Amino acid sequence: MTGGVTNGRAGRARWAPAVLAALGLLAGACGTGPGTVQQSGAGTVQQSSPVESGPAATAPTPSAGSLVAGRYQPLWPFADEKQVRDWQESYRSGGHQPWHLDAEQTALSFTQGFLGFTGVDQVVKRTVTAGDARVSVGIRGEGGGRPGIAAVIHLVRFGTGPDAPWEVVGTDDTTFSLTTPRYGALVSSPVTVGGRITGVDESIRVDVRATGSARPLGGRCCVSAGGDDVPWSATVTFRAAPGRTLTLVASTGGHVAEVERFTVTGVRVAR
């Protein structure tokens, strides 16, 4: 899991309004602003990851064969290396969207903008190296107490050069996981998703999302669960073009906040 508590980092949440204002501009490519996405456990290569179809489900398929650091699924904000290069050109020429170079801001934008979990607005911990980062995002503590961690987001630098941007590739899982299908698996609709959870009276929602789509491509709500490290599963239908990278997102909450924990995993649509 992540280490290195960052004093005052929760204050990064003040960026959220400005970041969210730009979210709608990222619908097709990340050169224009933060978009929307989520993930789970890419760091352990077993991540986890609702129901709607429409124009978003028929968005153009990102170019194939673009893995992050040769091994991770590109979940958000860039769909492939071409989008990375396009952003780098705009950044170098005009300084556009420098938030791509900030792991914390990217993690919050992914959580609030791509996944739509606006109540998860705190950066609780962070561990950042030259090319790899874990950012723990969470909700405000009751009565001003310590924020609770909703997920540990794994990010990796995408592309080359000193201005290679951060890309969400998964989440690290502990008491709530999404391990089926496996990370990077080829899937088709309907897909069975599942993992394990520790909690009481949990209600799990599952969404299928993809970079460039404002709405979920499919989903399921809700699956009742509870106990100590017990399995959970659900079958979800979705609409997406073959070859497209998908983010499977599972979330639970309802005790103190609408979303209290979430997990994601990255898969691809079978051709």
Side-chain angles (χ1 to χ4, degrees):
M1 297 298 295
T2 60
V5 176
T6 305
N7 295 328
R9 291 289 179 178
R12 293 278 189 172
R14 67 179 182 273
W15 292 336
V19 172
L20 291 175
L23 290 174
L25 300 178
L26 191 65
C30 296
T32 52
T36 54
V37 188
Q38 180 182 9
Q39 91 186 37
S40 153
T44 57
V45 189
Q46 61 166 34
Q47 281 54 21
S48 12
S49 312
V51 185
E52 203 168 304
S53 63
T58 57
T61 304
S63 58
S66 190
L67 294 178
V68 183
R71 60 181 296 195
Y72 298 111
Q73 299 298 311
L75 302 186
W76 191 86
F78 300 99
D80 53 35
E81 290 189 27
K82 180 181 184 304
Q83 289 189 0
V84 170
R85 292 192 297 270
D86 289 346
W87 171 76
Q88 287 178 312
E89 290 179 6
S90 68
Y91 174 72
R92 293 166 184 171
S93 63
H96 298 298
Q97 307 190 334
W99 63 270
H100 286 301
L101 299 177
D102 189 297
E104 294 181 28
Q105 195 170 357
T106 300
L108 279 177
S109 298
F110 169 77
T111 301
Q112 298 185 289
F114 182 69
L115 299 182
F117 301 154
T118 56
V120 183
D121 61 358
Q122 307 288 299
V123 170
V124 184
K125 296 180 181 180
R126 68 189 290 269
T127 299
V128 180
T129 63
D132 190 277
R134 258 84 174 183
V135 178
S136 299
V137 295
I139 59 176
R140 298 176 186 275
E142 292 186 276
R146 181 180 178 83
I149 294 176
V152 179
I153 297 176
H154 184 193
L155 306 97
V156 174
R157 294 276 191 182
F158 198 2
T160 60
D163 56 356
W166 289 106
E167 178 82 2
V168 173
V169 297
T171 55
D172 289 347
D173 303 330
T174 53
T175 60
F176 183 32
S177 67
L178 197 170
T179 55
T180 300
R182 65 177 176 78
Y183 186 77
L186 295 176
V187 303
S188 57
S189 180
V191 59
T192 298
V193 301
R196 306 188 75 86
I197 189 169
T198 295
V200 179
D201 295 329
E202 303 298 332
S203 181
I204 301 172
R205 178 181 180 91
V206 180
D207 285 300
V208 179
R209 291 187 174 272
T211 298
S213 296
R215 299 184 298 171
L217 306 184
R220 169 79 182 275
C221 187
C222 293
V223 178
S224 297
D228 185 10
D229 192 32
V230 298
W232 67 270
S233 65
T235 300
V236 184
T237 59
F238 64 88
R239 291 179 56 196
R244 195 169 192 187
T245 298
L246 303 177
T247 299
L248 304 182
V249 183
S251 61
T252 185
H255 301 97
V256 298
E258 182 178 1
V259 174
E260 296 161 358
R261 287 181 291 170
F262 68 88
T263 175
V264 307
T265 194
V267 296
R268 289 180 296 132
V269 182
R271 294 184 181 276

mmCIF file of all heavy atoms in Angstrom, residues 202-237:
data_model
loop_
_atom_site.group_PDB
_atom_site.id
_atom_site.type_symbol
_atom_site.label_atom_id
_atom_site.label_comp_id
_atom_site.label_asym_id
_atom_site.label_seq_id
_atom_site.Cartn_x
_atom_site.Cartn_y
_atom_site.Cartn_z
ATOM 1 N N GLU A 202 -23.154 -3.938 3.052
ATOM 2 C CA GLU A 202 -22.600 -3.264 1.891
ATOM 3 C C GLU A 202 -23.530 -3.385 0.687
ATOM 4 O O GLU A 202 -24.255 -4.373 0.539
ATOM 5 C CB GLU A 202 -21.232 -3.829 1.530
ATOM 6 C CG GLU A 202 -20.212 -3.764 2.653
ATOM 7 C CD GLU A 202 -19.897 -2.346 3.090
ATOM 8 O OE1 GLU A 202 -20.009 -1.419 2.247
ATOM 9 O OE2 GLU A 202 -19.538 -2.158 4.262
ATOM 10 N N SER A 203 -23.529 -2.391 -0.165
ATOM 11 C CA SER A 203 -24.308 -2.379 -1.400
ATOM 12 C C SER A 203 -23.362 -1.991 -2.523
ATOM 13 O O SER A 203 -22.963 -0.829 -2.647
ATOM 14 C CB SER A 203 -25.468 -1.374 -1.291
ATOM 15 O OG SER A 203 -26.247 -1.366 -2.461
ATOM 16 N N ILE A 204 -22.988 -2.964 -3.351
ATOM 17 C CA ILE A 204 -21.947 -2.771 -4.351
ATOM 18 C C ILE A 204 -22.551 -2.416 -5.706
ATOM 19 O O ILE A 204 -23.443 -3.099 -6.202
ATOM 20 C CB ILE A 204 -21.090 -4.037 -4.493
ATOM 21 C CG1 ILE A 204 -20.440 -4.388 -3.154
ATOM 22 C CG2 ILE A 204 -20.030 -3.855 -5.575
ATOM 23 C CD1 ILE A 204 -19.734 -5.734 -3.151
ATOM 24 N N ARG A 205 -22.052 -1.349 -6.277
ATOM 25 C CA ARG A 205 -22.433 -0.931 -7.622
ATOM 26 C C ARG A 205 -21.253 -1.178 -8.555
ATOM 27 O O ARG A 205 -20.092 -0.919 -8.188
ATOM 28 C CB ARG A 205 -22.814 0.552 -7.645
ATOM 29 C CG ARG A 205 -23.182 1.070 -9.035
ATOM 30 C CD ARG A 205 -23.531 2.553 -9.007
ATOM 31 N NE ARG A 205 -23.881 3.014 -10.335
ATOM 32 C CZ ARG A 205 -25.112 3.018 -10.833
ATOM 33 N NH1 ARG A 205 -26.118 2.582 -10.088
ATOM 34 N NH2 ARG A 205 -25.352 3.456 -12.060
ATOM 35 N N VAL A 206 -21.548 -1.678 -9.742
ATOM 36 C CA VAL A 206 -20.500 -1.935 -10.721
ATOM 37 C C VAL A 206 -20.772 -1.105 -11.971
ATOM 38 O O VAL A 206 -21.898 -1.068 -12.471
ATOM 39 C CB VAL A 206 -20.438 -3.431 -11.100
ATOM 40 C CG1 VAL A 206 -19.338 -3.664 -12.128
ATOM 41 C CG2 VAL A 206 -20.207 -4.287 -9.865
ATOM 42 N N ASP A 207 -19.754 -0.426 -12.487
ATOM 43 C CA ASP A 207 -19.858 0.364 -13.709
ATOM 44 C C ASP A 207 -18.791 -0.053 -14.702
ATOM 45 O O ASP A 207 -17.683 -0.456 -14.321
ATOM 46 C CB ASP A 207 -19.707 1.862 -13.418
ATOM 47 C CG ASP A 207 -20.934 2.477 -12.787
ATOM 48 O OD1 ASP A 207 -22.002 2.439 -13.414
ATOM 49 O OD2 ASP A 207 -20.822 2.975 -11.651
ATOM 50 N N VAL A 208 -19.132 0.078 -15.961
ATOM 51 C CA VAL A 208 -18.181 -0.142 -17.045
ATOM 52 C C VAL A 208 -17.939 1.213 -17.699
ATOM 53 O O VAL A 208 -18.873 1.840 -18.212
ATOM 54 C CB VAL A 208 -18.723 -1.148 -18.085
ATOM 55 C CG1 VAL A 208 -17.715 -1.343 -19.208
ATOM 56 C CG2 VAL A 208 -19.072 -2.471 -17.416
ATOM 57 N N ARG A 209 -16.703 1.664 -17.668
ATOM 58 C CA ARG A 209 -16.381 2.990 -18.199
ATOM 59 C C ARG A 209 -15.213 2.901 -19.180
ATOM 60 O O ARG A 209 -14.468 1.925 -19.198
ATOM 61 C CB ARG A 209 -16.048 3.968 -17.063
ATOM 62 C CG ARG A 209 -17.252 4.323 -16.189
ATOM 63 C CD ARG A 209 -16.918 5.415 -15.192
ATOM 64 N NE ARG A 209 -18.080 5.871 -14.459
ATOM 65 C CZ ARG A 209 -18.905 6.847 -14.849
ATOM 66 N NH1 ARG A 209 -18.659 7.465 -16.010
ATOM 67 N NH2 ARG A 209 -19.934 7.209 -14.125
ATOM 68 N N ALA A 210 -15.064 3.982 -19.967
ATOM 69 C CA ALA A 210 -13.959 4.048 -20.920
ATOM 70 C C ALA A 210 -13.587 5.497 -21.175
ATOM 71 O O ALA A 210 -14.452 6.388 -21.177
ATOM 72 C CB ALA A 210 -14.340 3.374 -22.240
ATOM 73 N N THR A 211 -12.306 5.745 -21.372
ATOM 74 C CA THR A 211 -11.836 7.085 -21.696
ATOM 75 C C THR A 211 -12.530 7.583 -22.958
ATOM 76 O O THR A 211 -12.650 6.856 -23.944
ATOM 77 C CB THR A 211 -10.318 7.072 -21.920
ATOM 78 O OG1 THR A 211 -9.682 6.668 -20.713
ATOM 79 C CG2 THR A 211 -9.806 8.442 -22.317
ATOM 80 N N GLY A 212 -13.006 8.824 -22.924
ATOM 81 C CA GLY A 212 -13.697 9.403 -24.065
ATOM 82 C C GLY A 212 -15.200 9.282 -23.996
ATOM 83 O O GLY A 212 -15.900 9.854 -24.826
ATOM 84 N N SER A 213 -15.716 8.552 -22.997
ATOM 85 C CA SER A 213 -17.166 8.397 -22.828
ATOM 86 C C SER A 213 -17.601 9.081 -21.547
ATOM 87 O O SER A 213 -17.081 8.792 -20.464
ATOM 88 C CB SER A 213 -17.554 6.910 -22.766
ATOM 89 O OG SER A 213 -17.253 6.263 -23.980
ATOM 90 N N ALA A 214 -18.554 9.984 -21.663
ATOM 91 C CA ALA A 214 -19.010 10.733 -20.498
ATOM 92 C C ALA A 214 -19.876 9.886 -19.579
ATOM 93 O O ALA A 214 -19.947 10.144 -18.381
ATOM 94 C CB ALA A 214 -19.787 11.969 -20.950
ATOM 95 N N ARG A 215 -20.541 8.868 -20.146
ATOM 96 C CA ARG A 215 -21.438 8.035 -19.349
ATOM 97 C C ARG A 215 -20.923 6.602 -19.288
ATOM 98 O O ARG A 215 -20.159 6.177 -20.154
ATOM 99 C CB ARG A 215 -22.848 8.052 -19.960
ATOM 100 C CG ARG A 215 -23.484 9.426 -20.002
ATOM 101 C CD ARG A 215 -24.905 9.330 -20.534
ATOM 102 N NE ARG A 215 -24.954 8.816 -21.893
ATOM 103 C CZ ARG A 215 -26.081 8.477 -22.513
ATOM 104 N NH1 ARG A 215 -27.233 8.581 -21.888
ATOM 105 N NH2 ARG A 215 -26.040 8.024 -23.761
ATOM 106 N N PRO A 216 -21.376 5.851 -18.287
ATOM 107 C CA PRO A 216 -21.009 4.432 -18.243
ATOM 108 C C PRO A 216 -21.507 3.709 -19.488
ATOM 109 O O PRO A 216 -22.560 4.040 -20.036
ATOM 110 C CB PRO A 216 -21.723 3.926 -16.981
ATOM 111 C CG PRO A 216 -21.920 5.142 -16.137
ATOM 112 C CD PRO A 216 -22.173 6.258 -17.106
ATOM 113 N N LEU A 217 -20.772 2.715 -19.917
ATOM 114 C CA LEU A 217 -21.171 1.893 -21.058
ATOM 115 C C LEU A 217 -22.041 0.725 -20.623
ATOM 116 O O LEU A 217 -22.568 -0.012 -21.452
ATOM 117 C CB LEU A 217 -19.931 1.371 -21.779
ATOM 118 C CG LEU A 217 -18.898 2.416 -22.211
ATOM 119 C CD1 LEU A 217 -17.773 1.756 -22.990
ATOM 120 C CD2 LEU A 217 -19.555 3.524 -23.023
ATOM 121 N N GLY A 218 -22.174 0.547 -19.328
ATOM 122 C CA GLY A 218 -22.993 -0.520 -18.759
ATOM 123 C C GLY A 218 -22.875 -0.471 -17.257
ATOM 124 O O GLY A 218 -22.027 0.238 -16.714
ATOM 125 N N GLY A 219 -23.739 -1.203 -16.562
ATOM 126 C CA GLY A 219 -23.646 -1.186 -15.118
ATOM 127 C C GLY A 219 -24.627 -2.113 -14.438
ATOM 128 O O GLY A 219 -25.502 -2.705 -15.084
ATOM 129 N N ARG A 220 -24.467 -2.238 -13.134
ATOM 130 C CA ARG A 220 -25.320 -3.089 -12.309
ATOM 131 C C ARG A 220 -25.414 -2.493 -10.914
ATOM 132 O O ARG A 220 -24.409 -2.176 -10.284
ATOM 133 C CB ARG A 220 -24.719 -4.498 -12.230
ATOM 134 C CG ARG A 220 -25.350 -5.429 -11.198
ATOM 135 C CD ARG A 220 -26.653 -6.019 -11.687
ATOM 136 N NE ARG A 220 -27.251 -6.870 -10.648
ATOM 137 C CZ ARG A 220 -26.948 -8.154 -10.457
ATOM 138 N NH1 ARG A 220 -26.037 -8.746 -11.229
ATOM 139 N NH2 ARG A 220 -27.553 -8.852 -9.504
ATOM 140 N N CYS A 221 -26.622 -2.340 -10.422
ATOM 141 C CA CYS A 221 -26.849 -1.862 -9.069
ATOM 142 C C CYS A 221 -28.100 -2.539 -8.515
ATOM 143 O O CYS A 221 -29.135 -2.563 -9.174
ATOM 144 C CB CYS A 221 -27.031 -0.350 -9.061
ATOM 145 S SG CYS A 221 -27.119 0.382 -7.413
ATOM 146 N N CYS A 222 -28.003 -3.058 -7.371
ATOM 147 C CA CYS A 222 -26.806 -3.143 -6.529
ATOM 148 C C CYS A 222 -26.695 -4.567 -5.991
ATOM 149 O O CYS A 222 -27.679 -5.314 -5.976
ATOM 150 C CB CYS A 222 -26.879 -2.160 -5.376
ATOM 151 S SG CYS A 222 -26.816 -0.429 -5.889
ATOM 152 N N VAL A 223 -25.499 -4.940 -5.540
ATOM 153 C CA VAL A 223 -25.246 -6.272 -5.022
ATOM 154 C C VAL A 223 -25.057 -6.184 -3.515
ATOM 155 O O VAL A 223 -24.175 -5.464 -3.040
ATOM 156 C CB VAL A 223 -23.986 -6.884 -5.667
ATOM 157 C CG1 VAL A 223 -23.693 -8.260 -5.075
ATOM 158 C CG2 VAL A 223 -24.144 -6.956 -7.179
ATOM 159 N N SER A 224 -25.881 -6.887 -2.762
ATOM 160 C CA SER A 224 -25.752 -6.888 -1.299
ATOM 161 C C SER A 224 -24.585 -7.772 -0.888
ATOM 162 O O SER A 224 -24.370 -8.847 -1.451
ATOM 163 C CB SER A 224 -27.041 -7.395 -0.645
ATOM 164 O OG SER A 224 -28.128 -6.539 -0.944
ATOM 165 N N ALA A 225 -23.816 -7.311 0.088
ATOM 166 C CA ALA A 225 -22.663 -8.078 0.554
ATOM 167 C C ALA A 225 -22.335 -7.672 1.978
ATOM 168 O O ALA A 225 -22.793 -6.639 2.478
ATOM 169 C CB ALA A 225 -21.455 -7.842 -0.355
ATOM 170 N N GLY A 226 -21.551 -8.481 2.640
ATOM 171 C CA GLY A 226 -21.131 -8.185 4.004
ATOM 172 C C GLY A 226 -20.470 -9.376 4.640
ATOM 173 O O GLY A 226 -20.671 -10.522 4.213
ATOM 174 N N GLY A 227 -19.634 -9.115 5.645
ATOM 175 C CA GLY A 227 -18.919 -10.172 6.323
ATOM 176 C C GLY A 227 -17.433 -9.883 6.337
ATOM 177 O O GLY A 227 -16.991 -8.774 6.041
ATOM 178 N N ASP A 228 -16.653 -10.902 6.679
ATOM 179 C CA ASP A 228 -15.211 -10.756 6.793
ATOM 180 C C ASP A 228 -14.526 -11.456 5.626
ATOM 181 O O ASP A 228 -14.488 -12.691 5.557
ATOM 182 C CB ASP A 228 -14.740 -11.363 8.122
ATOM 183 C CG ASP A 228 -13.262 -11.130 8.370
ATOM 184 O OD1 ASP A 228 -12.642 -10.341 7.623
ATOM 185 O OD2 ASP A 228 -12.714 -11.743 9.313
ATOM 186 N N ASP A 229 -14.041 -10.680 4.673
ATOM 187 C CA ASP A 229 -13.334 -11.196 3.506
ATOM 188 C C ASP A 229 -14.179 -12.232 2.753
ATOM 189 O O ASP A 229 -13.737 -13.336 2.470
ATOM 190 C CB ASP A 229 -11.996 -11.810 3.932
ATOM 191 C CG ASP A 229 -11.087 -12.111 2.742
ATOM 192 O OD1 ASP A 229 -11.155 -11.372 1.736
ATOM 193 O OD2 ASP A 229 -10.306 -13.091 2.824
ATOM 194 N N VAL A 230 -15.404 -11.838 2.424
ATOM 195 C CA VAL A 230 -16.324 -12.736 1.734
ATOM 196 C C VAL A 230 -16.351 -12.406 0.236
ATOM 197 O O VAL A 230 -16.123 -11.266 -0.165
ATOM 198 C CB VAL A 230 -17.748 -12.639 2.317
ATOM 199 C CG1 VAL A 230 -17.757 -13.057 3.771
ATOM 200 C CG2 VAL A 230 -18.292 -11.225 2.172
ATOM 201 N N PRO A 231 -16.620 -13.400 -0.607
ATOM 202 C CA PRO A 231 -16.680 -13.141 -2.049
ATOM 203 C C PRO A 231 -17.962 -12.419 -2.450
ATOM 204 O O PRO A 231 -18.994 -12.553 -1.796
ATOM 205 C CB PRO A 231 -16.624 -14.550 -2.654
ATOM 206 C CG PRO A 231 -17.187 -15.435 -1.601
ATOM 207 C CD PRO A 231 -16.773 -14.833 -0.290
ATOM 208 N N TRP A 232 -17.875 -11.655 -3.524
ATOM 209 C CA TRP A 232 -19.042 -11.019 -4.121
ATOM 210 C C TRP A 232 -18.899 -11.138 -5.636
ATOM 211 O O TRP A 232 -17.789 -11.259 -6.162
ATOM 212 C CB TRP A 232 -19.158 -9.543 -3.713
ATOM 213 C CG TRP A 232 -18.067 -8.670 -4.259
ATOM 214 C CD1 TRP A 232 -16.868 -8.381 -3.693
ATOM 215 C CD2 TRP A 232 -18.086 -7.985 -5.527
ATOM 216 N NE1 TRP A 232 -16.118 -7.569 -4.509
ATOM 217 C CE2 TRP A 232 -16.848 -7.308 -5.649
ATOM 218 C CE3 TRP A 232 -19.010 -7.881 -6.562
ATOM 219 C CZ2 TRP A 232 -16.530 -6.527 -6.752
ATOM 220 C CZ3 TRP A 232 -18.690 -7.118 -7.667
ATOM 221 C CH2 TRP A 232 -17.466 -6.451 -7.758
ATOM 222 N N SER A 233 -20.029 -11.105 -6.349
ATOM 223 C CA SER A 233 -19.952 -11.172 -7.804
ATOM 224 C C SER A 233 -21.214 -10.580 -8.416
ATOM 225 O O SER A 233 -22.247 -10.452 -7.754
ATOM 226 C CB SER A 233 -19.780 -12.620 -8.279
ATOM 227 O OG SER A 233 -20.921 -13.400 -7.967
ATOM 228 N N ALA A 234 -21.124 -10.209 -9.680
ATOM 229 C CA ALA A 234 -22.252 -9.642 -10.422
ATOM 230 C C ALA A 234 -21.999 -9.841 -11.907
ATOM 231 O O ALA A 234 -20.850 -9.920 -12.349
ATOM 232 C CB ALA A 234 -22.418 -8.157 -10.106
ATOM 233 N N THR A 235 -23.077 -9.924 -12.674
ATOM 234 C CA THR A 235 -22.977 -10.005 -14.128
ATOM 235 C C THR A 235 -23.440 -8.693 -14.730
ATOM 236 O O THR A 235 -24.507 -8.181 -14.369
ATOM 237 C CB THR A 235 -23.837 -11.167 -14.662
ATOM 238 O OG1 THR A 235 -23.363 -12.398 -14.088
ATOM 239 C CG2 THR A 235 -23.748 -11.248 -16.178
ATOM 240 N N VAL A 236 -22.630 -8.139 -15.616
ATOM 241 C CA VAL A 236 -22.895 -6.803 -16.159
ATOM 242 C C VAL A 236 -22.888 -6.863 -17.684
ATOM 243 O O VAL A 236 -22.007 -7.480 -18.288
ATOM 244 C CB VAL A 236 -21.823 -5.797 -15.689
ATOM 245 C CG1 VAL A 236 -22.155 -4.396 -16.177
ATOM 246 C CG2 VAL A 236 -21.702 -5.821 -14.175
ATOM 247 N N THR A 237 -23.856 -6.224 -18.298
ATOM 248 C CA THR A 237 -23.879 -6.088 -19.748
ATOM 249 C C THR A 237 -23.374 -4.709 -20.132
ATOM 250 O O THR A 237 -23.517 -3.747 -19.371
ATOM 251 C CB THR A 237 -25.295 -6.290 -20.320
ATOM 252 O OG1 THR A 237 -26.172 -5.302 -19.730
ATOM 253 C CG2 THR A 237 -25.821 -7.679 -19.987
#
